[in-house]
């Protein structure tokens, strides 16, 4: 039987549901849909946010790339805090239920939820004023006993409601930066919108109005000169995730569990969707792509649906010194230095190569190591989109080399030394922009591009420690691939036979034999004077 307290609580729920609106007390249906699907528990994020409530750190902005769970996190927080619903059963089996603060904050607050994308479809002017007016109209219906004063703005009204009801709000904004990304450069909409955010959250009244504020989007908060426009916000991003890194994507253990549950090949999921380093978490997967692969039963690229590659093409063909060379180097499996601190968190304000790379990190096209300040292409899915971007640029020679790489691999497997020499020579000639010096390192970069398609069946290693030295390039066949491993040794101004001799002398096959005894040895020499290439191929007996 219900006790009096239970009946009163049900009455409150029913009353709140009757006044449920578009922006306040929207309930838990959004998160319920995620729980009805395959759900990887990321509720620990709530613990992080709970610790900030009613503190100076109550203002939080979390930015991560598309399809990395931004909206899921926002709806999860809505379901947890929203006083208009009972979400206990949604969370009782999740990690957050073990937190000592779980019951303290569960369904205790009026929650304002705002998705900025709902306001930008027409790209009208005066968006900030429209947002303010829409929320003010909607929220004042819920608090009809507190009328709006003439010419009153939302921030002032929320403060009066908070003080009258003796209860502070939770404000959650999804896609906070949609205006910054979608409006044409040079318009005032972004500045007016950021001013609106300042009025809402940076004044002293905001501390009295809000128990907590959580914003999520792709970009960190825009910088003006060297400072964030909202420097009272604690920011977490793909560059600086801090203690939220584990909630940005799927961990290796989480994906391994899903692979086992759905009888998927973990190594394939790893090849396609792993490779992101977020903070000190060295192996993070794209969560949306993993779930789509599991749903479809096979791995392929799902990236095209997350954003057009022509946007990336616009960035990578910008005429900044060294940009093209570094993009080619990363396509070849290399890593490049980047300084992300210069970026103003505005995709329309790009001042150099570092800004281009930082944008691509925030968009998820590059991964980032904060300790070494290095970036790279994380996995096969993104590499494919980068190749699409290159093919849509004026980098014809690079695109041609990538397209010819399948023929070069087949010629290598067939032992056709003449075809291999001519294929490498063509790739070398077509990519002279990256050959600022004619040595084995630059030739290795060219060869990595020339053998690009080998990545479908092989794991490519540059400078692999083998035997008594480092092999220039080693291709190890992937699981279930019935092809020989390939050891490529490169020489300049010597001969291909000396390359093969070095492979034997330094016992390079010894390490590779841990994977397979089926090994091809490929020696390639480049003659600086004649510009000719020669090749020698033999099989390990």
């Amino acid at each position: 039987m219900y006790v009096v307290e239970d009946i009163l609580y049900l009455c409150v729920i029913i009353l709140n549901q009757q006044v449920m609106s578009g922006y306040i007390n929207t309930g838990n249906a959004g998160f319920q849909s995620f729980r009805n699907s395959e759900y990887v528990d990321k509720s620990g994020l709530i613990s992080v946010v709970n610790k900030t409530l009613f503190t100076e750190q109550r203002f939080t902005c979390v930015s991560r790339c598309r399809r990395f769970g931004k909206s899921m996190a926002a709806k999860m927080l809505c379901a947890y805090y929203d006083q208009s619903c009972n979400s206990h059963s949604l969370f009782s089996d999740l990690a957050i239920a073990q937190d000592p603060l779980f019951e303290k904050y569960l369904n205790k607050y009026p929650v304002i939820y705002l998705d900025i994308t709902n306001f930008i479809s027409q790209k009208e002017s005066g968006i900030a004023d429209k947002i303010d007016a829409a929320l003010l109209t909607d929220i004042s219906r819920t608090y009809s006993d507190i009328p709006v004063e003439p010419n009153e703005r939302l921030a002032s009204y929320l403060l009066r409601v908070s003080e009258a009801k003796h209860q502070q709000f939770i404000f959650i904004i999804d896609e906070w930066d949609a205006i910054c990304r979608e409006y044409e450069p040079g318009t005032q909409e972004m500045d007016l919108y950021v001013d609106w955010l300042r009025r809402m959250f940076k004044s002293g009244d905001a501390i009295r109005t809000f128990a907590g504020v959580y914003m999520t989007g792709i970009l960190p908060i825009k910088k003006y000169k060297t400072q964030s426009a909202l420097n009272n916000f604690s920011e977490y991003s793909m560059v600086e995730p801090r203690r939220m890194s584990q909630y940005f994507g799927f961990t290796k253990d989480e994906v391994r569990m899903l692979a086992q549950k759905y009888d998927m090949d973990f190594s394939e999921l790893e090849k396609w969707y792993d490779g992101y380093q977020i903070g000190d978490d060295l192996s993070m997967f794209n969560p949306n792509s993993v779930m789509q692969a599991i749903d479809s039963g096979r791995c392929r690229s799902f990236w095209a649906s997350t954003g057009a590659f022509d946007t990336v093409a616009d960035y990578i063909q910008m005429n900044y010194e060294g940009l093209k060379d570094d993009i080619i180097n990363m396509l070849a499996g290399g890593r490049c230095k980047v300084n992300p601190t210069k970026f103003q968190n505005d995709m329309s304000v790009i001042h150099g190569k570092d800004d281009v790379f930082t944008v691509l990190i925030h968009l998820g096209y590059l991964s980032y190591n904060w300790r070494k300040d290095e970036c790279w292409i994380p996995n096969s899915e993104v590499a494919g989109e980068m190749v699409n971007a290159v093919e849509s640029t004026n980098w014809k020679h690079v695109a041609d080399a990538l397209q010819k790489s399948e023929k070069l691999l087949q010629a290598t497997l067939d032992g056709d030394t003449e075809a291999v020499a001519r294929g490498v020579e063509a790739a070398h000639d077509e990519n002279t922009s990256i050959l600022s010096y004619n040595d084995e390192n630059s030739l290795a970069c060219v060869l990595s591009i020339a053998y690009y398609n080998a990545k479908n069946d092989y794991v490519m290693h540059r400078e692999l420690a083998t035997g008594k030295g480092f092999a220039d390039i080693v291709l190890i066949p992937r699981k279930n691939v019935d092809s020989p491993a390939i050891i490529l040794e490169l020489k300049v101004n010597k001969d291909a036979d000396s390359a093969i001799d070095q492979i034997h002398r330094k016992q390079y096959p010894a390490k590779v034999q841990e994977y397979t005894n089926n090994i091809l040895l490929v020696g390639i020499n480049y003659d600086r004077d004649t510009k000719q290439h020669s090749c020698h191929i033999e099989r390990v007996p």
Side-chain angles (χ1 to χ4, degrees):
M1 294 181 62
Y2 289 114
V3 297
V4 173
E5 287 82 5
D6 293 325
I7 294 172
L8 290 174
Y9 181 76
L10 288 172
C11 290
V12 171
I13 295 297
I14 293 170
L15 180 61
N16 280 330
Q17 287 176 338
Q18 288 174 345
V19 297
M20 187 177 295
S21 61
Y23 303 109
I24 187 167
N25 298 335
T26 57
N28 57 21
F31 186 57
Q32 178 72 67
S33 67
F34 286 106
R35 290 306 317 267
N36 291 341
S37 309
E38 180 63 56
Y39 176 71
V40 174
D41 187 358
K42 294 295 180 180
S43 65
L45 172 68
I46 299 172
S47 295
V48 178
V49 177
N50 277 348
K51 292 174 183 176
T52 70
L53 299 183
F54 302 103
T55 73
E56 290 295 317
Q57 291 75 45
R58 73 187 69 190
F59 304 100
T60 301
C61 181
V62 179
S63 56
R64 41 182 152 166
C65 52
R66 287 186 176 94
R67 305 301 177 92
F68 266 63
K70 297 187 304 296
S71 295
M72 185 281 292
K75 290 174 181 177
M76 177 179 71
L77 292 171
C78 281
Y80 175 75
Y81 291 115
D82 193 334
Q83 66 181 10
S84 73
C85 54
N86 184 348
S87 301
H88 193 281
S89 62
L90 281 178
F91 293 99
S92 60
D93 61 335
L94 300 181
I96 182 60
Q98 306 305 313
D99 190 299
L101 299 177
F102 172 60
E103 296 282 357
K104 179 178 180 179
Y105 297 123
L106 178 65
N107 300 132
K108 296 296 197 301
Y109 299 94
V111 175
I112 303 169
Y113 175 73
L114 173 63
D115 185 345
I116 298 298
T117 59
N118 293 332
F119 285 87
I120 64 171
S121 57
Q122 302 300 318
K123 294 189 179 180
E124 301 171 340
S125 60
I127 292 297
D129 286 340
K130 289 180 171 64
I131 292 173
D132 196 271
L135 268 65
L136 181 60
T137 300
D138 190 71
I139 294 170
S140 64
R141 291 194 188 104
T142 299
Y143 297 99
S144 56
D145 57 326
I146 305 177
V148 178
E149 296 179 349
N151 301 317
E152 189 168 27
R153 304 282 296 191
L154 176 63
S156 172
Y157 181 74
L158 291 178
L159 175 60
R160 290 200 300 114
V161 170
S162 176
E163 292 180 337
K165 300 296 183 180
H166 304 290
Q167 189 172 43
Q168 291 174 288
F169 294 89
I170 300 288
F171 203 143
I172 297 171
I173 302 179
D174 196 8
E175 301 286 359
W176 86 268
D177 59 330
I179 292 175
C180 312
R181 302 193 315 263
E182 298 297 332
Y183 273 76
E184 293 295 325
T187 62
Q188 292 186 332
E189 291 304 318
M190 180 168 59
D191 290 339
L192 293 173
Y193 169 61
V194 171
D195 284 341
W196 179 79
L197 292 173
R198 282 196 188 102
R199 291 195 301 271
M200 287 297 304
F201 303 127
K202 200 173 179 182
S203 70
D205 290 341
I207 296 290
R208 298 154 59 194
T209 305
F210 302 108
V213 177
Y214 180 93
M215 300 198 307
T216 186
I218 293 176
L219 296 175
I221 296 170
K222 179 176 169 58
K223 294 178 184 176
Y224 290 89
K225 295 184 179 179
T226 60
Q227 293 293 322
S228 166
L230 295 164
N231 56 16
N232 59 324
F233 272 73
S234 298
E235 292 204 66
Y236 307 81
S237 70
M238 299 294 283
V239 169
E240 188 63 52
R242 299 195 285 178
R243 63 184 184 274
M244 285 196 185
S245 58
Q246 62 183 300
Y247 308 117
F248 272 53
F250 285 174
T251 65
K252 186 166 289 191
D253 288 342
E254 289 166 345
V255 175
R256 188 176 282 112
M257 174 197 69
L258 290 169
Q260 183 176 5
K261 181 176 180 179
Y262 291 97
D263 194 27
M264 295 284 289
D265 186 340
F266 174 76
S267 64
E268 278 295 292
L269 292 168
E270 192 174 35
K271 162 192 164 185
W272 277 92
Y273 313 121
D274 190 15
Y276 291 96
Q277 179 173 338
I278 302 179
D280 284 326
D281 283 288
L282 303 180
S283 184
M284 298 292 281
F285 291 67
N286 179 324
N288 177 70
S289 295
V290 169
M291 298 309 300
Q292 291 208 52
I294 287 172
D295 185 58
S296 65
R298 70 185 184 92
C299 295
R300 60 184 179 86
S301 177
F302 300 99
W303 194 263
S305 62
T306 69
F309 63 75
D310 55 351
T311 301
V312 179
D314 290 342
Y315 284 119
I316 68 174
Q317 65 180 339
M318 287 181 170
N319 190 29
Y320 294 117
E321 184 177 358
L323 177 59
K324 179 178 179 180
D325 298 358
D326 282 353
I327 292 292
I328 294 172
N329 180 39
M330 286 190 284
L331 282 171
R335 297 189 174 201
C336 296
K337 287 291 184 180
V338 58
N339 178 1
T341 62
K342 300 176 183 178
F343 183 50
Q344 295 183 22
N345 302 332
D346 185 337
M347 292 170 64
S348 66
V349 181
I350 304 296
H351 293 303
K353 182 176 67 172
D354 285 324
D355 286 352
V356 171
F357 288 161
T358 306
V359 168
L360 296 180
I361 291 168
H362 287 302
L363 292 175
Y365 285 91
L366 296 177
S367 186
Y368 172 68
N369 181 317
W370 70 274
R371 292 184 184 277
K372 296 182 178 180
D373 279 332
E374 290 180 340
C375 60
W376 65 94
I377 298 172
N379 52 48
S380 292
E381 181 181 44
V382 178
E385 289 306 303
M386 290 293 282
V387 169
N388 290 339
V390 166
E391 290 178 346
S392 70
T393 68
N394 57 5
W395 299 2
K396 183 178 184 302
H397 294 316
V398 179
D400 287 346
L402 293 170
Q403 291 173 358
K404 293 173 183 176
S405 63
E406 188 171 353
K407 292 182 179 179
L408 180 62
L409 175 62
Q410 190 58 53
T412 305
L413 295 174
D414 292 342
D416 189 340
T417 57
E418 183 63 24
V420 171
R422 299 291 76 79
V424 171
E425 192 167 292
H428 200 156
D429 291 342
E430 291 167 354
N431 292 285
T432 53
S433 69
I434 61 174
L435 300 179
S436 55
Y437 45 88
N438 289 328
D439 63 7
E440 293 167 18
N441 288 326
S442 56
L443 183 56
C445 184
V446 167
L447 277 177
S448 297
I449 288 291
Y451 280 94
Y452 179 82
N453 273 346
K455 294 180 180 180
N456 294 326
D457 294 329
Y458 289 88
V459 177
M460 180 181 291
H461 299 274
R462 296 259 300 268
E463 294 293 323
L464 180 67
T466 55
K468 297 179 180 179
F470 293 85
D472 289 327
I473 298 176
V474 176
L475 302 175
I476 304 293
R478 295 185 183 276
K479 183 180 177 182
N480 301 323
V481 173
D482 186 21
S483 295
I486 301 172
I487 301 175
L488 294 109
E489 185 63 25
L490 316 173
K491 293 296 178 185
V492 174
N493 276 0
K494 293 185 180 179
D495 57 64
D497 288 340
S498 68
I500 297 292
D501 178 65
Q502 179 172 317
I503 292 174
H504 288 300
R505 182 164 39 83
K506 294 194 174 182
Q507 301 175 13
Y508 290 165
K511 179 69 174 179
V512 180
Q513 284 172 332
E514 296 176 9
Y515 302 93
T516 177
N517 288 320
N518 188 8
I519 305 172
L520 281 182
L521 311 182
V522 181
I524 296 174
N525 181 66
Y526 169 60
D527 189 305
R528 288 199 191 102
D529 296 328
T530 65
K531 309 299 183 186
Q532 298 294 305
H533 296 70
S534 58
C535 174
H536 183 105
I537 299 176
E538 68 176 51
R539 187 178 296 274
V540 172

